[in-house]
Amino acid sequence: DEVAALAAMQYYEGNVVTGTVDSLTFIKGAHQGDMVRLCAQVTYTGRKTIEVRVEVHVQSLDGDLNLINRAYFVMVALPKKEGEPVQLPPLILETEEEKTEWENGNLRDILRKERRADHF
């Protein structure tokens, strides 16, 4: 959650709060003494929301990374000044992977809105 918030705040250059945690996937476990690396990337933006993918890897002593966890956090951007509307900058997509992540984020956003409408 903290890593997602830091990524979202860096993108927005303002404060955010956690809206939801979506698609939390545990692939493997970490063990006591493991060195873990957390990586966060903004994958999708809405009008007021910033979706951040957080991946957790176990890093071996030789530098190899093994993915053990992935989650998508939706952070809600707070107004920078009271009463001022939030203005998120457009997400600049440079690679095919970023475009695919954005399209998938758009689909996740639609599903989240449908679940919220169904009170799920």
Side-chain angles (χ1 to χ4, degrees), residues 64-79:
D64 287 340
L65 296 173
N66 294 302
L67 181 67
I68 63 168
N69 181 289
R70 177 181 293 130
Y72 289 89
F73 290 78
V74 178
M75 311 308 286
V76 180
L78 300 175

Side-chain angles (χ1 to χ4, degrees), residues 6 23 28-29 35 51 61 71 81 84 89-91 104 108 110 113 116-117:
L6 288 170
S23 303
K28 295 179 184 175
M35 184 170 34
E51 182 187 79
L61 293 176
K81 294 181 183 174
E84 185 177 274
L91 185 59
N104 291 337
R108 283 188 295 273
I110 291 167
K113 288 175 182 172
R116 195 167 43 243

Side-chain angles (χ1 to χ4, degrees), residues 1 16-22 49-50 73-77 112 116:
D1 182 65
V16 299
V17 295
T18 305
T20 189
V21 180
D22 197 7
T49 59
I50 304 165
F73 290 78
V74 178
M75 311 308 286
V76 180
R112 283 189 290 266
R116 195 167 43 243

Side-chain angles (χ1 to χ4, degrees), residues 33-49:
D34 281 348
M35 184 170 34
V36 295
R37 177 184 285 184
L38 286 81
C39 302
Q41 179 180 355
V42 173
T43 54
Y44 177 79
T45 56
R47 200 168 50 85
K48 295 184 197 178
T49 59

